[in-house]
Amino acid sequence: MKKQGADILKQSALSITASRKDILDIFLASSSALAHQDIELKCSDKFDRVTIYRTLQTFLDKGIIHSIPTTENAVKYALCKDECIVSGHHHDNHVHFLCDACGITICLEEVVVPQVKLPKGYSLKDINMVVNGTCKKCKA
Amino acid sequence: MKKQGADILKQSALSITASRKDILDIFLASSSALAHQDIELKCSDKFDRVTIYRTLQTFLDKGIIHSIPTTENAVKYALCKDECIVSGHHHDNHVHFLCDACGITICLEEVVVPQVKLPKGYSLKDINMVVNGTCKKCKA
DNA sequence: TGACATTTGCAACAAAGTTGCAATCTCCAT
DNA sequence: ATGGAGATTGCAACTTTGTTGCAAATGTCA
Ligand SMILES: [Mn+2]
Ligand SMILES: [Mn+2]
Ligand SMILES: [Zn+2]
Ligand SMILES: [Zn+2]
């Protein structure tokens, strides 16, 4: 049986509500990262825009989703994998791909973000790597 | 003599106007990347908000500045270096640092973005690497 | 200097995000 | 199973951010 939104909510000790379940199911059904607006288009008939904002924030806080900064000034969100939580801390250390042609944003789970050495004085907490280019489907 | 905004405008074959000069000078005087709002705070008394938007877009088009996507859903901008233009094309291949404590965003010109190998089918055009952490000044 | 093209400011919008509060819903202990 | 405490939601009102069209002002170059 496939993983459902409700399962994830239980795991994260969040109360189970219609909006949270539905929004999680939207993520589970999507193969690419979603912007707030993408989600709004899919369920603003059922839920208020504000609820979507708050739900996404809750998911971020709980480490259910992670955010992906894009060059188009639009943050996108994607589910975190289970293996993501190692010893109580999150590890979204994969590369993200953004297609300039179709705009799709994808987690490249199998591509690990390379380490970098920072100049003296800077302490590193997190690295974000976003690659632009052309995706499989849009290839000429 | 220090480089002035007007010099850069000439180099880029842009007409020299007060707003362009002033905004360039703000960049030249800043050691960190600036958001639209940062610039607005410094000169909205002299120029319209719309002018700032259009000026930043022009600078982007001409390769005078580059944009930095941040996790806070706010694009920041920074001047490109001269050496940035190699054979007519831009090369902003350095890492950016974003301090979680003070929010400052800095170009780490000396840290080159490492290459990554993408899965089959993806073609790469550009890589963006943003590192979060604590900057020199904010260090505990 | 003057014509012409470019740039700017303004006004009016549209879209995105935030906040407070009352109504509703979840969950847990009885 | 029920009900009450606390969490969640919808709504309204608002702020901030970004866009567009157009007329006035400015810069460029002959
Ligand atoms: Mn991801
Ligand atoms: Mn930079
Ligand atoms: Zn594509
Ligand atoms: Zn700092």
Side-chain angles (χ1 to χ4, degrees):
Chain A
M1 181 191 153
K2 227 177 167 184
K3 190 168 201 172
Q4 297 284 306
D7 305 328
I8 299 177
L9 292 172
K10 272 176 211 155
Q11 275 175 34
S12 305
L14 285 175
S15 49
I16 295 173
T17 68
S19 48
R20 286 175 180 171
K21 262 190 297 189
D22 281 21
I23 292 176
L24 274 180
D25 287 339
I26 291 172
F27 274 111
L28 285 165
S30 171
S31 58
S32 60
L34 301 169
H36 170 95
Q37 201 198 355
D38 299 325
I39 297 166
E40 202 175 316
L41 289 172
K42 294 193 195 232
C43 66
S44 68
D45 50 327
K46 290 190 253 173
F47 312 114
D48 194 82
R49 229 161 45 83
V50 177
T51 300
I52 300 175
Y53 280 114
R54 292 196 270 223
T55 302
L56 289 174
Q57 186 57 56
T58 302
F59 290 173
L60 279 177
D61 293 343
K62 288 284 180 176
I64 295 174
I65 59 177
H66 59 281
S67 70
I68 306 160
T70 74
T71 10
E72 276 94 47
N73 199 3
V75 173
K76 297 201 174 181
Y77 306 92
L79 283 181
C80 295
K81 299 283 169 188
D82 283 344
E83 320 89 62
C84 189
I85 302 179
V86 181
S87 64
H89 228 279
H90 256 256
H91 276 274
D92 278 308
N93 60 340
H94 56 271
V95 170
H96 292 106
F97 184 86
L98 170 52
C99 177
D100 295 323
C102 67
I104 205 173
T105 303
I106 298 175
C107 296
L108 299 178
E109 307 279 356
E110 66 274 31
V111 184
V112 174
V113 173
Q115 285 301 307
V116 285
K117 205 171 142 51
L118 298 182
K120 227 177 176 173
Y122 294 94
S123 82
L124 186 154
K125 192 187 289 175
D126 194 37
I127 306 182
N128 256 286
M129 192 165 193
V130 179
V131 177
N132 285 73
T134 313
C135 79
K136 288 181 185 180
K137 288 180 187 161
C138 294
K139 211 161 183 181
Chain B
M1 181 188 152
K2 228 177 167 183
K3 192 169 200 173
Q4 298 285 304
D7 305 327
I8 299 177
L9 291 172
K10 272 176 209 155
Q11 274 175 36
S12 304
L14 285 174
S15 50
I16 296 173
T17 68
S19 48
R20 287 174 179 170
K21 262 189 298 187
D22 281 21
I23 292 175
L24 275 180
D25 287 340
I26 291 173
F27 275 112
L28 285 165
S30 171
S31 57
S32 61
L34 301 169
H36 170 95
Q37 201 197 358
D38 299 325
I39 298 166
E40 202 174 318
L41 288 172
K42 294 192 194 233
C43 66
S44 68
D45 50 327
K46 290 190 253 174
F47 312 113
D48 195 82
R49 231 160 42 83
V50 177
T51 300
I52 300 175
Y53 279 113
R54 292 196 272 224
T55 302
L56 288 175
Q57 187 56 57
T58 303
F59 290 173
L60 279 177
D61 293 344
K62 288 286 180 174
I64 296 174
I65 60 176
H66 59 282
S67 70
I68 306 159
T70 74
T71 10
E72 277 94 45
N73 199 3
V75 173
K76 297 201 177 181
Y77 306 92
L79 282 182
C80 295
K81 299 285 171 189
D82 283 343
E83 320 88 61
C84 189
I85 302 179
V86 182
S87 63
H89 227 279
H90 257 257
H91 277 274
D92 277 307
N93 61 340
H94 56 272
V95 170
H96 292 105
F97 184 86
L98 171 52
C99 177
D100 297 323
C102 67
I104 206 173
T105 303
I106 298 175
C107 296
L108 299 178
E109 307 279 357
E110 65 274 31
V111 184
V112 174
V113 173
Q115 285 300 308
V116 286
K117 206 173 142 52
L118 298 182
K120 228 178 174 168
Y122 295 93
S123 82
L124 186 154
K125 192 189 289 175
D126 195 36
I127 306 182
N128 255 285
M129 192 165 194
V130 179
V131 176
N132 286 74
T134 312
C135 79
K136 288 181 187 182
K137 288 180 188 162
C138 294
K139 210 161 185 183

